[in-house]
Amino acid sequence: MSSNLFKKYSVSLDKSHYEILIGRDIIAEAGRFLAGKTDDKRVLIVVDEFLKDTALNLLLQELTKEGFKVYIHTFEAGKQNKNINEAMKIYEVLESNDFARDSAIIAIGGGVIGDLVGFVASTYLRGINLIHIPTTLTAMIDSSIGGKVAINFRKTVNAIGNYYHPLLNIIDFQFIETLPDRELKGGLAEIIKCSIICDRALFDYLSTHSTDILNCEESSLVTICSRAIEIKLDHVVGDVKEQNKRLKLNYGHTLGHAIETSTGIFEEVYRHGQGVSLGMVGAALIARDYMNYNDDILHKHEEVLKKYGLPVRVESGKFGFERAKLLKECLRNIWKDKKRKGNKLRFILPVEVGRCEIYNDVPDKLIERAFEYLITE
Ligand SMILES: NC(=O)c1ccc[n+]([C@@H]2O[C@H](COP(=O)([O-])OP(=O)(O)OC[C@H]3O[C@@H](n4cnc5c(N)ncnc54)[C@H](O)[C@@H]3O)[C@@H](O)[C@H]2O)c1
């Protein structure tokens, strides 16, 4: 292994086999890898507008050395652009340049680019070669793993989608350096989530190493990212289509989504990870009341989330909301949850830190109480 390559996973999901590489300054690996894999020498790089000047040089050199004809398409990330119009622009580049099934697309960006480009790769000619190079923490440990690809349609998030795996996934920590604080913390919320659903040792590590992690100290990032990736893979293997075990990865999402949607009518108040942070606190409160626990699990949640500067309450006034109205909105929006079965919401609740289960019969009263706890004046 080169000294820049810290870890390598061989993944088998559905009928696909591919590798995940974790390292620093390793994106040129994509060029070497493709040279040995594909006969066609056309490759399209779709890259976040923000990253086009910083990330590409080494990769371009390598691809050119290997004889590839490289096309570059940039666009601005952000959920408003994860749509069919942006997908059409990529289809146009592929079609007008005679891309074939064994040509390739490399997606360099956060979850928006990964999901959108993954969707295009899965549908163009019924599937062409794809390499993910995720550049946000969320994309590294979550969206680029597990095969879900999608675009939003009108008001519905991820309305049109597919399951599609890449040939290679390169997780390169060079990208963490430029990440805004909010994006870093949003990704950390998902890692905390992973620890609470199934890994007490990871939870303890996160609790004791917050300073190193928030300073992006490399060995601590390798520890938490590789564990989060292993957890995601473990929950996806055998349940790619989210029938059972994979559902647990949605811990904190049911209440969290309702808060994100209800507060984000005019502009985004909470990034997804920040919503998940709030949702986990709410779920811990529901677990306390549903299973007659003391406050221990709830306090542990709040303690670790605060260490990472993640929200544990929604201060309605601060964002210009009237508390009673926001409560009502949240109670309405929670019914849009995709995990709902008929007229029952499904909740993932912590039995202890490091173990969660799925419950189908949480009384409405407890859901209401959770929002009342989370949403302050
Ligand atoms: N497929 C899945 O399983 C899955 C799982 C979780 C989330 N998602 C999807 O992921 C999307 C969210 O992804 P995200 O949180 O990465 O958001 P994003 O892709 O919108 O990126 C967030 C912001 O960070 C910027 N950015 C990206 N990399 C950067 C870097 N290295 N340095 C500085 N800025 C950088 C982007 O330009 C953007 O402004 C949503 O659409 C969500 O639905 C999918």
Side-chain angles (χ1 to χ4, degrees):
M1 237 190 264
S2 96
S3 58
N4 285 350
L5 186 60
F6 310 135
K7 281 219 164 174
K8 188 169 168 176
Y9 292 97
S10 295
V11 179
S12 292
L13 281 176
D14 296 333
K15 290 183 179 113
S16 302
H17 307 280
Y18 67 96
E19 282 183 351
I20 301 176
L21 310 180
I22 304 181
R24 172 177 288 276
D25 300 323
I26 56 166
I27 68 169
E29 290 297 324
R32 284 187 275 278
F33 176 87
L34 274 183
K37 265 284 193 250
T38 60
D39 290 330
D40 190 88
K41 290 290 181 195
R42 261 165 290 223
V43 58
L44 172 65
I45 299 177
V46 183
V47 58
D48 188 324
E49 178 72 37
F50 177 82
L51 296 165
K52 68 177 193 302
D53 299 325
T54 53
L56 287 184
N57 277 348
L58 281 176
L59 177 57
L60 286 176
Q61 275 169 26
E62 191 61 33
L63 286 167
T64 313
K65 197 173 93 193
E66 298 290 352
F68 282 94
K69 178 153 177 49
V70 184
Y71 300 79
I72 297 177
H73 178 82
T74 60
F75 83 93
E76 208 180 303
K79 60 184 172 193
Q80 72 286 356
N81 285 338
K82 192 171 137 180
N83 60 36
I84 193 75
N85 296 333
E86 293 300 330
M88 295 279 279
K89 291 179 194 162
I90 304 174
Y91 289 132
E92 271 169 39
V93 179
L94 297 173
E95 200 260 353
S96 54
N97 292 293
D98 296 328
F99 271 62
R101 265 198 196 146
D102 65 343
S103 316
I105 312 189
I106 303 177
I108 308 180
V112 163
I113 286 194
D115 274 17
L116 181 135
V117 176
F119 176 74
V120 168
S122 79
T123 44
Y124 193 72
L125 302 179
R126 298 196 187 86
I128 77 171
N129 294 320
L130 169 70
I131 292 185
H132 277 307
I133 303 186
T135 64
T136 60
L137 185 57
T138 303
M140 291 176 184
I141 54 103
D142 194 357
S143 62
S144 71
I145 318 271
K148 280 192 195 173
V149 292
I151 51 174
N152 303 331
F153 184 64
R154 288 150 62 123
K155 285 186 181 162
T156 306
V157 172
N158 297 329
I160 308 173
N162 214 342
Y163 293 91
Y164 196 67
H165 302 288
L167 288 181
L168 180 69
N169 187 350
I170 299 179
I171 292 167
D172 190 326
F173 286 151
Q174 67 165 299
F175 294 111
I176 301 265
E177 279 156 23
T178 51
L179 268 190
D181 189 61
R182 199 165 134 92
E183 303 300 333
L184 178 73
K185 289 177 176 164
L188 288 169
E190 293 284 358
I191 300 181
I192 294 170
K193 173 206 77 181
C194 288
S195 77
I196 296 173
I197 61 175
C198 68
D199 190 339
R200 178 66 203 233
L202 176 61
F203 183 85
D204 292 341
Y205 186 89
L206 288 161
S207 302
T208 50
H209 289 73
S210 56
T211 310
D212 288 345
I213 293 168
L214 286 169
N215 286 331
C216 296
E217 191 272 315
E218 199 156 84
S219 71
S220 61
L221 281 185
V222 176
T223 303
I224 61 168
C225 289
S226 43
R227 199 50 207 121
I229 289 167
E230 287 160 14
I231 290 170
K232 174 118 193 204
L233 287 170
D234 179 51
H235 282 74
V236 170
V237 170
D239 187 20
V240 170
K241 300 207 170 156
E242 206 170 57
Q243 304 299 314
N244 188 15
K245 193 173 176 184
R246 188 171 184 163
L247 278 177
K248 290 188 184 176
L249 294 167
N250 289 305
Y251 179 52
H253 286 55
T254 310
L255 296 154
H257 269 152
I259 294 172
E260 274 172 80
T261 313
S262 310
T263 53
I265 318 163
F266 303 114
E267 60 181 284
E268 188 178 74
V269 171
Y270 295 110
R271 292 289 292 142
H272 177 66
Q274 279 73 2
V276 169
S277 171
L278 291 159
M280 290 193 285
V281 173
L285 188 96
I286 292 178
R288 180 195 75 179
D289 295 346
Y290 188 59
M291 297 180 231
N292 290 320
Y293 294 149
N294 59 26
D295 284 336
D296 185 51
I297 296 186
L298 177 63
H299 286 164
K300 284 201 167 81
H301 275 68
E302 295 186 340
E303 208 177 315
V304 75
L305 293 166
K306 280 187 198 159
K307 276 188 185 169
Y308 286 92
L310 286 159
V312 296
R313 294 288 190 287
V314 181
E315 294 167 69
S316 351
K318 189 169 153 190
F319 302 114
F321 293 104
E322 205 181 292
R323 180 173 183 260
K325 270 195 189 155
L326 187 55
L327 273 169
K328 214 166 144 194
E329 267 307 286
C330 286
L331 284 165
R332 197 172 67 84
N333 280 323
I334 199 166
W335 288 97
K336 294 185 181 154
D337 190 71
K338 288 199 194 103
K339 296 182 297 305
R340 183 165 60 97
K341 259 197 169 175
N343 63 353
K344 285 278 171 208
L345 287 171
R346 282 199 280 183
F347 272 92
I348 294 92
L349 299 180
V351 179
E352 59 187 321
V353 169
R355 187 156 74 91
C356 279
E357 298 298 342
I358 302 165
Y359 296 86
N360 299 318
D361 49 4
V362 168
D364 292 353
K365 185 88 208 103
L366 297 192
I367 300 169
E368 236 174 280
R369 201 184 290 167
F371 281 128
E372 278 165 8
Y373 179 80
L374 286 170
I375 300 171
T376 63
E377 284 294 346

